[in-house]
Each structure stands twice: as structure tokens, then as C-alpha cells.
Amino acid sequence: MAAPDRLYFTDDDEANRLIASDPFALLVGFALDQQVTVPTAFSGPLKIKQRLGTIDPATIAATDPGRVEEAFREKPAVHRFPGAMAARVHELASAVADEYGGDAASIWTSARDGDELRRRIAALPGFGEMKIKSLGAVLAKRYGVAVAEPLVPPHPTLGDVDSPQSLADYQEAKRVYKARMRAEAS
């Protein structure tokens, strides 16, 4: 399966094309996907590219962290926690540059199996179990990455989003699920 020409995670077609075509941009979107909406998180890589002039991990890793933070704080901010997320993306860029020679795709293209892929993703800054499963689902379902198939959970994830309507459906199901979890916790 070839890479999709876009992922429908935002309302911005340019952002959707960037996260589909640039593996590091996809990782950055996942790193930012916390305490903001999916469209906000996955619009972040394009804002970063526009403000820093690149989304290349080696270049970002070599950029002064203060400059990265300035780019995150510029209005509209990349994330609701610009300082913390700028540091996270800088750390992610450093990890990809140092561990994978700046080639984010090699995280999954050179993994021998699902267990190795899980370990590699888990070692990335800000990637816990939910992001491992969701990224695995995107890689398996949208890119045809066979070693990612064991990571795919049985419930809907971003890997199931293949249109603007399916993004809306996914977000609504997520809201309902979170509301139910809050109600059960009370």
C-alpha cells in the first residue's frame, strides 16, 4: 500500500498533506496530541514548519530550544502548553536525529516485528500506550506497514479516519467515551 496523499486529521488540506507525506511531521502531530483537539495537534507540524522554515528533525534538534519555544508561542500558539510542547518536540527531534539519523520513517521501516516497533515508539518522548496503539493503527491501516498490525487495538483510532466525516465521527465517539468514563468515576 502506498502512502496516502493526505490524512484527514485537520480542517487544513496543507496540514493534512504534510502529515501524510512527512514521517517526522506525523510523529510531531502525535506528540502534540494531548490536551488539545486532534485537528489542533495535527495542524501543529505545519505551523512549526512555517515558523521555523523546516520540519526536519536534525535541523530542529540543532535549533536553540528558546527559538523553538518562540515559534510555539507565536500567535496562534501551536499548543495550549507551548513551553512544554516546544521542549517535547525538540526532544523528539533530537531522538529521531540521534537514534535514526534523522529518518523518522526508519522507526517503522526497519523494525523487525511488532515488538520491536512497540519498543521503538515507546522510547520516543511523549509516546505512551495509547499513542503507540494509535500510531500503530495509522501505520497499519493508512500506510500498509505490516509490522504495525499487532499494535492495532480493537477499538476505533485515528487509523480509521479516512475522510473529514470519519474525523467528525471519531471525535464524537471520543467525546461520548470520555463523558461516560467521567460519569462512571463520579
Side-chain angles (χ1 to χ4, degrees):
M1 174 188 262
D5 67 337
R6 61 185 42 81
L7 293 171
Y8 295 92
F9 299 171
T10 79
D11 298 329
D12 182 323
D13 198 52
E14 186 178 359
N16 290 339
R17 286 193 313 271
L18 177 63
I19 60 174
S21 65
D22 187 301
F24 185 67
L26 180 63
L27 290 178
V28 169
F30 272 99
L32 296 174
D33 188 17
Q34 116 180 22
Q35 298 183 333
V36 295
T37 65
V38 167
T40 297
F42 286 92
S43 294
L46 179 60
K47 288 179 185 172
I48 294 165
K49 182 177 182 181
Q50 291 168 335
R51 295 171 187 183
L52 293 178
T54 187
I55 194 70
D56 175 67
T59 304
I60 293 172
T63 301
D64 177 73
R67 173 66 190 106
V68 176
E69 185 172 336
E70 285 174 22
F72 268 70
R73 290 187 185 282
E74 185 179 315
K75 302 290 182 201
V78 172
H79 194 277
R80 70 186 280 199
F81 301 110
M85 288 299 145
R88 165 119 358 117
V89 168
H90 193 266
E91 187 180 356
L92 177 62
S94 295
V96 171
D98 295 346
E99 300 296 320
Y100 300 98
D103 180 8
S106 69
I107 293 168
W108 49 88
T109 59
S110 66
R112 290 184 308 275
D113 56 32
D115 290 337
E116 183 177 1
L117 179 57
R118 174 184 292 283
R119 283 191 299 277
R120 288 176 173 201
I121 297 170
L124 297 173
F127 282 74
E129 190 58 27
M130 286 176 48
K131 289 183 186 182
I132 292 167
K133 289 176 180 177
S134 192
L135 176 57
V138 170
L139 293 173
K141 294 180 178 186
R142 299 288 145 235
Y143 293 87
V145 176
V147 296
E149 290 173 9
L151 306 181
V152 179
H155 57 78
T157 67
L158 282 173
D160 299 302
V161 173
D162 61 2
S163 68
Q165 183 59 52
S166 65
L167 174 62
D169 295 344
Y170 169 77
Q171 289 182 288
E172 180 58 26
K174 193 170 157 183
R175 277 190 287 276
V176 168
Y177 173 77
K178 285 183 174 182
R180 190 177 77 231
M181 298 315 298
R182 281 192 299 272
E184 289 174 6
S186 324

